[in-house]
Amino acid sequence: MAVEQPTHAPVPAQGDQTRIHNIGYRSYDGPRLGRAYATRSLYSQSLRGAYGLGRSAKSKVLPMLLFVVMCVPAAIMVAVTVATKLKELPVDYTRYAIFLQAVISLYIASQAPQSVSRDLRFKTVPLYFSRPIETADYVRAKYAALASALFVLTAMPLLVLYVGALLAKLDFADQTKGLGQGLVSVTLLSLLFAGIGLVIASVTPRRGFGIAAAIAVMTISYGAVSTLQAIADGQNAAGAVPWIGLFSPVTLIDGLQSAFLGATSSFPGGVGPSHGEGVVYVLAVLGLIAACYGLLMRRYRKVGL
């Protein structure tokens, strides 16, 4: 008797299992905003990020705290001036940032790594360059954003002093001139410090290392230069004091503004560079700013490859 063999369903060929599904993707036919819009967006987001805006509450604490620390002494000086009817402000506009340079250095040390280190750590820089934005756009946006944030930090206390001086009925022309000189000083300071901070932060993707390195460069250089200036002055080598001041960002700004902006110098003896020596300070500041920009361009050309 014949045994009936079970029948099996035919196995479809491998190609028969392939299906094409229309899930509704359509090409974009809207406006192409291009490089300028992308650069502006990167600038605005980086500027907001420098004060923790658009980020977690924890990210806002330190920059906002440092902003308050910068402004509170100015408010106290204004209150004292109005209450005691002083004939001038306790501190010149050009001196204020120098007195609070430790706060400024801490701000740069904390926010420069925040601006660029995360992009390096999470390798998002090549994603930026896959769009219309180019290396120069990225560097300009980051540099301008941090310099703008630092300018806000240093210029706002000067505005507080200016408004308070006018409320105290101090001479309008003198106060306006002093404010203008102070704004020129903090503009150069913002460009110089932002460039140095970004160069240091761009070397490492580790934010902690970037913070420590920036603090070391800012504070150790200032302490070393101040010590050497004091030694030179004590050894009756006062002529060397201005030249030693070329080796620290803080003393560079101090010497420049004392030479050309009528500021009182914090150099030993209160004597800053002469006009001739001040020209060297100007060239040194502008050269450092240009060098920082060039180093950033070089760094991000390699990163974007």
Side-chain angles (χ1 to χ4, degrees), residues 8 19 80 115 117 132 176 189 243 277 282:
H8 297 280
R19 297 289 186 271
V80 171
S115 182
S117 293
T176 303
L189 182 148
W243 302 112
E277 295 166 337
V282 172

Side-chain angles (χ1 to χ4, degrees), residues 67-220:
F67 182 82
V68 171
V69 171
M70 284 292 295
C71 292
V72 166
I76 294 174
M77 292 176 191
V78 165
V80 171
T81 302
V82 173
T84 60
K85 298 180 180 180
L86 295 176
K87 299 301 181 182
E88 60 182 13
L89 292 170
V91 175
D92 293 338
Y93 294 97
T94 50
R95 300 294 307 149
Y96 192 87
I98 301 298
F99 285 150
L100 292 175
Q101 54 88 17
V103 180
I104 299 171
S105 298
L106 183 58
Y107 180 85
I108 282 294
S110 62
Q111 297 310 308
Q114 182 278 137
S115 182
V116 297
S117 293
R118 290 189 305 167
D119 290 344
L120 295 171
R121 183 176 182 181
F122 297 109
K123 303 185 186 303
T124 57
V125 176
L127 295 179
Y128 283 113
F129 299 158
S130 67
R131 294 298 180 182
I133 193 171
E134 296 182 359
T135 305
D137 302 323
Y138 180 89
V139 171
R140 281 196 294 264
K142 290 293 185 178
Y143 200 146
L146 187 58
S148 298
L150 188 55
F151 179 78
V152 171
L153 182 78
T154 53
M156 188 57 67
L158 302 187
L159 293 178
V160 173
L161 289 174
Y162 181 70
V163 172
L166 296 184
L167 291 176
K169 298 181 180 180
L170 302 184
D171 186 75
F172 176 79
D174 288 343
Q175 298 306 313
T176 303
K177 178 183 177 181
L179 175 64
Q181 292 171 335
L183 291 178
V184 171
S185 176
V186 297
T187 298
L188 292 172
L189 182 148
S190 300
L191 290 170
L192 179 60
F193 279 39
I196 294 173
L198 286 175
V199 168
I200 295 171
S202 67
V203 173
T204 174
R206 293 290 188 179
R207 184 180 178 186
F209 292 162
I211 292 173
I215 291 176
V217 169
M218 295 294 183
T219 59
I220 293 178

